[in-house]
Amino acid sequence: MQSLPLSSSGFDPGREAEALLVAELAGGRTVLRRQHVGYPFHVTRPFQLDRMRPELATLYLQSASGGFYAGDRLKLDIVVGAQAALNLTTQASTVVHDGRGIGAVQRQSVTVRGRAFCAIVSDPYVLFPGAALSVETTAEVADDAILIMADGFAVHDPQRRGGLFERFSTRTRILRPDGTRVVFDGGSMSGPELRGRFGTLGGMAAAGTVFMIAPADRLPDLAEIEAVCDRCGCLAGASAAPNGAGLAMRLLAPDGGALTRGIEAAFHLAGRAALGIELARRRK
């Protein structure tokens, strides 16, 4: 009798998957008017966690597969309708596995319509040895709308053998509805560039970025948002975003835990400035 290999023993070339979420205001609350979520994406029902702002819906985006794998090509489209309010967050950090020379890509398209609020706050990606991930985001934000985006990465070598990730790159474009480009941000780094205290991250093992696109009177104080992140164990640097669009901030941290706390603190301060309330804790 011939012994055949298990189907799982071959190399999986990766997956292509798309998710679409359309949030709109209805009856004083933000609801998911449309959703199409393919594997490995999974979303919970919307939660109303903030009693003072019942229109604000919080939605947890989950991965049912255990992270990013070589060859993954995932796409996420988010539309927040006029006057709606949506906070999309993750249930935990997402592991990025060995990219096997081809890596993984996540593309995100975000549309925030007039007087809407959208906060996309992700726990850091965890880069395992050999990991290669590219995150590409295009956001269209109305002049009177608010968009908060926060994410980052942390390096992890579970075997403690000095393994390094291959590459992490991001590209973010933020536009107005007429196509005017207000912010363009991009960067890329490899694992070897992080070596030593004089590496790209100055000896740190985690880094993140926060954008807040909002009218000037809905922005937090730059010094205050830096200080609140510093108290979480991060090194934070905030500045005005180009074209008067809002603010931008970089975070460095010694590990993923400190970075997660810094991102969470920045989100709560930015949310308070935007919505005028202290937001409830988003339990993970």
Side-chain angles (χ1 to χ4, degrees):
M1 182 177 69
Q2 183 180 10
S3 177
L4 298 177
L6 296 174
S7 61
S8 62
S9 64
F11 172 61
D12 184 351
R15 301 156 295 185
E16 293 190 7
E18 296 186 8
L20 169 67
L21 302 172
V22 179
E24 295 182 353
L25 188 67
R29 292 192 173 191
T30 296
V31 299
L32 280 182
R33 184 69 71 188
R34 294 177 58 199
Q35 62 173 307
H36 170 78
V37 182
Y39 180 87
F41 293 111
H42 175 74
V43 294
T44 62
R45 67 175 178 84
F47 294 94
Q48 272 71 39
L49 301 177
D50 304 282
R51 289 184 297 174
M52 299 298 294
R53 298 299 296 255
E55 77 277 17
L56 175 56
T58 297
L59 190 67
Y60 289 86
L61 179 67
Q62 301 174 320
S63 171
S65 68
F68 283 97
Y69 295 86
D72 282 355
R73 302 293 184 266
L74 308 183
K75 184 179 180 182
L76 175 63
D77 290 335
I78 303 164
V79 179
V80 183
Q83 302 184 59
L86 176 69
N87 171 209
L88 182 68
T89 188
T90 51
Q91 89 284 7
S93 294
T94 301
V95 173
V96 185
H97 298 276
D98 190 336
R100 303 192 184 190
I102 56 176
V105 177
Q106 175 154 306
R107 294 184 173 90
Q108 303 175 147
S109 174
V110 184
T111 302
V112 191
R113 306 205 187 278
R115 297 176 61 191
F117 171 88
C118 177
I120 303 174
V121 183
S122 302
D123 291 288
Y125 300 103
V126 180
L127 305 181
F128 275 35
L133 176 64
S134 174
V135 181
E136 303 173 6
T137 304
T138 299
E140 178 187 296
V141 186
D143 291 350
D144 56 356
I146 295 169
L147 171 64
I148 300 170
M149 291 195 303
D151 65 8
F153 73 89
V155 179
H156 183 54
D157 177 16
Q159 302 299 323
R160 298 185 179 181
R161 296 176 179 173
L164 297 168
F165 69 95
E166 181 181 331
R167 183 160 295 277
F168 179 77
S169 61
T170 62
R171 184 176 65 177
T172 301
R173 297 189 309 151
I174 301 175
L175 316 172
R176 293 305 185 190
D178 63 1
T180 301
R181 186 170 71 177
V182 293
V183 174
F184 179 84
D185 181 74
S188 179
M189 66 181 66
S190 67
E193 293 174 342
L194 271 61
R195 289 187 183 275
R197 58 180 298 191
F198 299 111
T200 305
L201 301 185
M204 297 290 195
T209 299
V210 178
F211 288 109
M212 185 177 182
I213 307 304
D217 61 350
R218 310 291 286 279
L219 295 172
D221 178 74
L222 294 180
E224 185 180 6
I225 198 169
E226 286 182 349
V228 75
C229 293
D230 288 347
R231 288 195 292 270
C232 295
C234 299
L235 294 176
S239 64
N243 302 302
L247 68 82
M249 183 169 64
R250 305 287 194 199
L251 300 172
L252 294 178
D255 52 48
L259 180 60
T260 299
R261 293 190 295 272
I263 287 175
E264 181 180 3
F267 161 63
H268 279 266
L269 187 60
R272 184 180 70 189
L275 300 174
I277 64 166
E278 294 288 348
L279 296 174
R281 179 185 175 192
R282 271 55 181 164
R283 297 184 181 275
K284 303 292 181 75

